[in-house]
Short mmCIF file of all heavy atoms in Angstrom, two decimals:
data_model
loop_
_atom_site.label_atom_id
_atom_site.label_comp_id
_atom_site.label_asym_id
_atom_site.label_seq_id
_atom_site.Cartn_x
_atom_site.Cartn_y
_atom_site.Cartn_z
N GLY D 132 0.80 -1.22 0.00
CA GLY D 132 0.00 0.00 0.00
C GLY D 132 0.83 1.26 0.00
O GLY D 132 2.06 1.24 -0.09
N GLY D 133 0.14 2.41 0.07
CA GLY D 133 0.81 3.70 0.12
C GLY D 133 1.43 4.15 -1.18
O GLY D 133 2.29 5.03 -1.20
N ILE D 134 0.99 3.56 -2.30
CA ILE D 134 1.55 3.87 -3.62
C ILE D 134 0.44 4.42 -4.50
O ILE D 134 -0.53 3.73 -4.78
CB ILE D 134 2.18 2.63 -4.27
CG1 ILE D 134 3.32 2.10 -3.40
CG2 ILE D 134 2.66 2.94 -5.68
CD1 ILE D 134 3.83 0.75 -3.82
N ALA D 135 0.60 5.67 -4.93
CA ALA D 135 -0.42 6.31 -5.76
C ALA D 135 0.06 6.59 -7.17
O ALA D 135 -0.75 6.77 -8.08
CB ALA D 135 -0.88 7.62 -5.12
N GLU D 136 1.37 6.63 -7.38
CA GLU D 136 1.95 6.95 -8.69
C GLU D 136 3.19 6.08 -8.91
O GLU D 136 3.75 5.54 -7.94
CB GLU D 136 2.34 8.43 -8.75
CG GLU D 136 1.19 9.39 -8.54
CD GLU D 136 1.66 10.84 -8.53
OE1 GLU D 136 2.47 11.19 -7.67
OE2 GLU D 136 1.21 11.61 -9.40
N PRO D 137 3.65 5.95 -10.15
CA PRO D 137 4.86 5.16 -10.39
C PRO D 137 6.06 5.61 -9.57
O PRO D 137 6.84 4.79 -9.09
CB PRO D 137 5.10 5.36 -11.89
CG PRO D 137 3.75 5.60 -12.46
CD PRO D 137 3.01 6.39 -11.42
N LYS D 138 6.21 6.92 -9.37
CA LYS D 138 7.37 7.43 -8.63
C LYS D 138 7.39 6.92 -7.19
O LYS D 138 8.47 6.78 -6.59
CB LYS D 138 7.39 8.95 -8.63
CG LYS D 138 6.29 9.64 -7.86
CD LYS D 138 6.43 11.14 -7.88
CE LYS D 138 5.29 11.83 -7.12
NZ LYS D 138 5.22 11.44 -5.70
N ASP D 139 6.22 6.66 -6.61
CA ASP D 139 6.15 6.16 -5.24
C ASP D 139 6.80 4.78 -5.13
O ASP D 139 7.60 4.51 -4.23
CB ASP D 139 4.70 6.10 -4.76
CG ASP D 139 4.02 7.45 -4.79
OD1 ASP D 139 4.72 8.47 -4.66
OD2 ASP D 139 2.78 7.49 -4.93
N ALA D 140 6.45 3.91 -6.05
CA ALA D 140 7.02 2.55 -6.05
C ALA D 140 8.53 2.61 -6.30
O ALA D 140 9.30 1.90 -5.65
CB ALA D 140 6.34 1.69 -7.10
N LEU D 141 8.95 3.46 -7.24
CA LEU D 141 10.37 3.57 -7.55
C LEU D 141 11.15 4.07 -6.35
O LEU D 141 12.29 3.64 -6.10
CB LEU D 141 10.57 4.49 -8.76
CG LEU D 141 9.90 4.06 -10.07
CD1 LEU D 141 10.26 5.01 -11.19
CD2 LEU D 141 10.27 2.63 -10.43
N ALA D 142 10.56 4.99 -5.57
CA ALA D 142 11.22 5.49 -4.36
C ALA D 142 11.37 4.38 -3.33
O ALA D 142 12.39 4.31 -2.61
CB ALA D 142 10.43 6.66 -3.78
N LEU D 143 10.39 3.51 -3.22
CA LEU D 143 10.47 2.40 -2.26
C LEU D 143 11.52 1.38 -2.68
O LEU D 143 12.25 0.84 -1.84
CB LEU D 143 9.10 1.73 -2.12
CG LEU D 143 8.02 2.58 -1.46
CD1 LEU D 143 6.66 1.91 -1.56
CD2 LEU D 143 8.37 2.84 0.01
N TYR D 144 11.63 1.11 -3.98
CA TYR D 144 12.69 0.22 -4.46
C TYR D 144 14.06 0.82 -4.13
O TYR D 144 14.97 0.12 -3.69
CB TYR D 144 12.58 0.01 -5.97
CG TYR D 144 11.35 -0.73 -6.42
CD1 TYR D 144 10.66 -0.33 -7.56
CD2 TYR D 144 10.88 -1.84 -5.73
CE1 TYR D 144 9.52 -1.01 -7.99
CE2 TYR D 144 9.75 -2.52 -6.15
CZ TYR D 144 9.07 -2.10 -7.28
OH TYR D 144 7.95 -2.76 -7.69
N GLU D 145 14.17 2.12 -4.33
CA GLU D 145 15.45 2.79 -4.06
C GLU D 145 15.80 2.73 -2.58
O GLU D 145 16.98 2.62 -2.21
CB GLU D 145 15.38 4.24 -4.52
CG GLU D 145 16.71 4.97 -4.48
CD GLU D 145 16.63 6.37 -5.05
OE1 GLU D 145 15.61 6.70 -5.70
OE2 GLU D 145 17.59 7.14 -4.86
N ALA D 146 14.78 2.77 -1.73
CA ALA D 146 15.02 2.70 -0.28
C ALA D 146 15.42 1.31 0.17
O ALA D 146 15.96 1.15 1.28
CB ALA D 146 13.77 3.15 0.47
N GLY D 147 15.15 0.29 -0.67
CA GLY D 147 15.56 -1.05 -0.31
C GLY D 147 14.47 -2.10 -0.34
O GLY D 147 14.71 -3.26 0.00
N ALA D 148 13.25 -1.73 -0.72
CA ALA D 148 12.17 -2.71 -0.82
C ALA D 148 12.43 -3.66 -1.98
O ALA D 148 12.91 -3.25 -3.03
CB ALA D 148 10.83 -2.00 -1.01
N ASP D 149 12.11 -4.93 -1.75
CA ASP D 149 12.28 -5.93 -2.80
C ASP D 149 11.03 -6.05 -3.67
O ASP D 149 11.13 -6.22 -4.89
CB ASP D 149 12.60 -7.28 -2.18
CG ASP D 149 13.92 -7.29 -1.44
OD1 ASP D 149 14.97 -7.39 -2.11
OD2 ASP D 149 13.91 -7.16 -0.21
N LEU D 150 9.88 -5.99 -3.03
CA LEU D 150 8.61 -6.07 -3.74
C LEU D 150 7.65 -5.03 -3.16
O LEU D 150 7.82 -4.58 -2.02
CB LEU D 150 7.97 -7.46 -3.57
CG LEU D 150 8.79 -8.70 -3.94
CD1 LEU D 150 8.03 -9.96 -3.57
CD2 LEU D 150 9.13 -8.70 -5.43
N VAL D 151 6.65 -4.65 -3.96
CA VAL D 151 5.59 -3.77 -3.46
C VAL D 151 4.25 -4.38 -3.82
O VAL D 151 4.12 -5.12 -4.81
CB VAL D 151 5.69 -2.34 -4.03
CG1 VAL D 151 7.00 -1.69 -3.65
CG2 VAL D 151 5.49 -2.33 -5.55
N MET D 152 3.24 -4.07 -3.00
CA MET D 152 1.87 -4.50 -3.29
C MET D 152 0.98 -3.27 -3.35
O MET D 152 1.02 -2.42 -2.46
CB MET D 152 1.36 -5.48 -2.22
CG MET D 152 2.06 -6.82 -2.24
SD MET D 152 1.27 -8.09 -1.22
CE MET D 152 1.60 -7.50 0.44
N LEU D 153 0.18 -3.19 -4.39
CA LEU D 153 -0.70 -2.04 -4.59
C LEU D 153 -2.00 -2.22 -3.83
O LEU D 153 -2.56 -3.31 -3.77
CB LEU D 153 -0.99 -1.86 -6.08
CG LEU D 153 0.23 -1.73 -6.99
CD1 LEU D 153 -0.21 -1.58 -8.44
CD2 LEU D 153 1.11 -0.57 -6.57
N SER D 154 -2.47 -1.11 -3.28
CA SER D 154 -3.72 -1.13 -2.52
C SER D 154 -4.65 -0.03 -3.04
O SER D 154 -5.04 -0.04 -4.21
CB SER D 154 -3.42 -0.95 -1.03
OG SER D 154 -4.59 -0.99 -0.26
N GLY D 155 -4.98 0.95 -2.20
CA GLY D 155 -5.91 1.99 -2.60
C GLY D 155 -5.48 2.78 -3.81
O GLY D 155 -6.31 3.22 -4.61
N GLY D 156 -4.17 2.98 -3.98
CA GLY D 156 -3.68 3.71 -5.13
C GLY D 156 -4.01 3.04 -6.44
O GLY D 156 -4.19 3.71 -7.47
N TYR D 157 -4.13 1.73 -6.41
CA TYR D 157 -4.49 0.98 -7.62
C TYR D 157 -5.91 1.33 -8.05
O TYR D 157 -6.19 1.51 -9.24
CB TYR D 157 -4.37 -0.52 -7.34
CG TYR D 157 -4.77 -1.40 -8.49
CD1 TYR D 157 -3.90 -1.65 -9.52
CD2 TYR D 157 -6.04 -1.99 -8.53
CE1 TYR D 157 -4.26 -2.47 -10.59
CE2 TYR D 157 -6.41 -2.81 -9.58
CZ TYR D 157 -5.53 -3.05 -10.61
OH TYR D 157 -5.90 -3.84 -11.66
N VAL D 158 -6.80 1.45 -7.07
CA VAL D 158 -8.20 1.77 -7.37
C VAL D 158 -8.31 3.21 -7.87
O VAL D 158 -9.03 3.49 -8.83
CB VAL D 158 -9.08 1.58 -6.12
CG1 VAL D 158 -10.53 1.91 -6.44
CG2 VAL D 158 -8.95 0.17 -5.58
N ARG D 159 -7.58 4.12 -7.22
CA ARG D 159 -7.68 5.53 -7.58
C ARG D 159 -6.97 5.83 -8.90
O ARG D 159 -7.48 6.55 -9.75
CB ARG D 159 -7.07 6.38 -6.47
CG ARG D 159 -7.11 7.87 -6.72
CD ARG D 159 -8.51 8.38 -6.73
NE ARG D 159 -8.56 9.82 -6.99
CZ ARG D 159 -9.46 10.41 -7.72
NH1 ARG D 159 -10.40 9.69 -8.31
NH2 ARG D 159 -9.46 11.71 -7.90
N THR D 160 -5.79 5.30 -9.09
CA THR D 160 -4.97 5.63 -10.26
C THR D 160 -5.36 4.82 -11.48
O THR D 160 -5.22 5.29 -12.61
CB THR D 160 -3.48 5.41 -9.94
OG1 THR D 160 -3.14 6.21 -8.82
CG2 THR D 160 -2.60 5.79 -11.11
N GLY D 161 -5.86 3.60 -11.27
CA GLY D 161 -6.32 2.81 -12.39
C GLY D 161 -5.52 1.55 -12.60
O GLY D 161 -4.39 1.41 -12.12
N PRO D 162 -6.07 0.60 -13.34
CA PRO D 162 -5.43 -0.71 -13.55
C PRO D 162 -4.16 -0.66 -14.37
O PRO D 162 -3.47 -1.67 -14.49
CB PRO D 162 -6.52 -1.52 -14.25
CG PRO D 162 -7.42 -0.51 -14.86
CD PRO D 162 -7.40 0.68 -13.97
N GLY D 163 -3.84 0.50 -14.97
CA GLY D 163 -2.59 0.61 -15.71
C GLY D 163 -1.40 0.90 -14.83
O GLY D 163 -0.26 0.92 -15.31
N LEU D 164 -1.63 1.11 -13.52
CA LEU D 164 -0.53 1.46 -12.61
C LEU D 164 0.58 0.41 -12.57
O LEU D 164 1.76 0.78 -12.61
CB LEU D 164 -1.08 1.73 -11.21
CG LEU D 164 -0.07 2.18 -10.16
CD1 LEU D 164 0.68 3.43 -10.59
CD2 LEU D 164 -0.76 2.39 -8.80
N PRO D 165 0.28 -0.90 -12.49
CA PRO D 165 1.38 -1.89 -12.49
C PRO D 165 2.26 -1.78 -13.73
O PRO D 165 3.49 -1.82 -13.63
CB PRO D 165 0.65 -3.24 -12.44
CG PRO D 165 -0.69 -2.93 -11.91
CD PRO D 165 -1.03 -1.55 -12.36
N LYS D 166 1.63 -1.64 -14.88
CA LYS D 166 2.40 -1.53 -16.12
C LYS D 166 3.27 -0.27 -16.11
O LYS D 166 4.44 -0.30 -16.51
CB LYS D 166 1.46 -1.50 -17.32
CG LYS D 166 2.20 -1.39 -18.66
CD LYS D 166 1.24 -1.20 -19.81
CE LYS D 166 2.01 -0.99 -21.11
NZ LYS D 166 1.13 -0.66 -22.24
N ARG D 167 2.72 0.84 -15.63
CA ARG D 167 3.47 2.09 -15.59
C ARG D 167 4.67 1.99 -14.64
O ARG D 167 5.75 2.52 -14.92
CB ARG D 167 2.55 3.24 -15.18
CG ARG D 167 1.49 3.57 -16.23
CD ARG D 167 0.44 4.50 -15.67
NE ARG D 167 1.00 5.79 -15.30
CZ ARG D 167 0.46 6.61 -14.42
NH1 ARG D 167 -0.67 6.27 -13.79
NH2 ARG D 167 1.02 7.78 -14.16
N ILE D 168 4.47 1.30 -13.52
CA ILE D 168 5.59 1.08 -12.59
C ILE D 168 6.66 0.22 -13.25
O ILE D 168 7.87 0.51 -13.17
CB ILE D 168 5.10 0.44 -11.29
CG1 ILE D 168 4.19 1.40 -10.52
CG2 ILE D 168 6.28 0.03 -10.40
CD1 ILE D 168 3.49 0.78 -9.33
N ASN D 169 6.22 -0.85 -13.92
CA ASN D 169 7.17 -1.73 -14.60
C ASN D 169 7.97 -0.97 -15.66
O ASN D 169 9.19 -1.15 -15.78
CB ASN D 169 6.42 -2.89 -15.26
CG ASN D 169 5.86 -3.88 -14.25
OD1 ASN D 169 6.37 -4.00 -13.14
ND2 ASN D 169 4.80 -4.56 -14.62
N GLU D 170 7.30 -0.12 -16.42
CA GLU D 170 7.98 0.64 -17.46
C GLU D 170 8.94 1.67 -16.87
O GLU D 170 10.01 1.92 -17.42
CB GLU D 170 6.95 1.33 -18.35
CG GLU D 170 6.15 0.36 -19.21
CD GLU D 170 5.00 1.01 -19.95
OE1 GLU D 170 4.62 2.14 -19.57
OE2 GLU D 170 4.48 0.40 -20.91
N GLY D 171 8.55 2.27 -15.74
CA GLY D 171 9.45 3.22 -15.07
C GLY D 171 10.67 2.53 -14.51
O GLY D 171 11.79 3.05 -14.60
#
């Protein structure tokens, strides 16, 4: 959770996270968010 935009996930990877799971941000931002994170 806590991810609303691709930059949020990228910041967590940079901090040391291995994986992220989308929660409310997925509903608000839309189903294309995983793809946009992957492309970023």
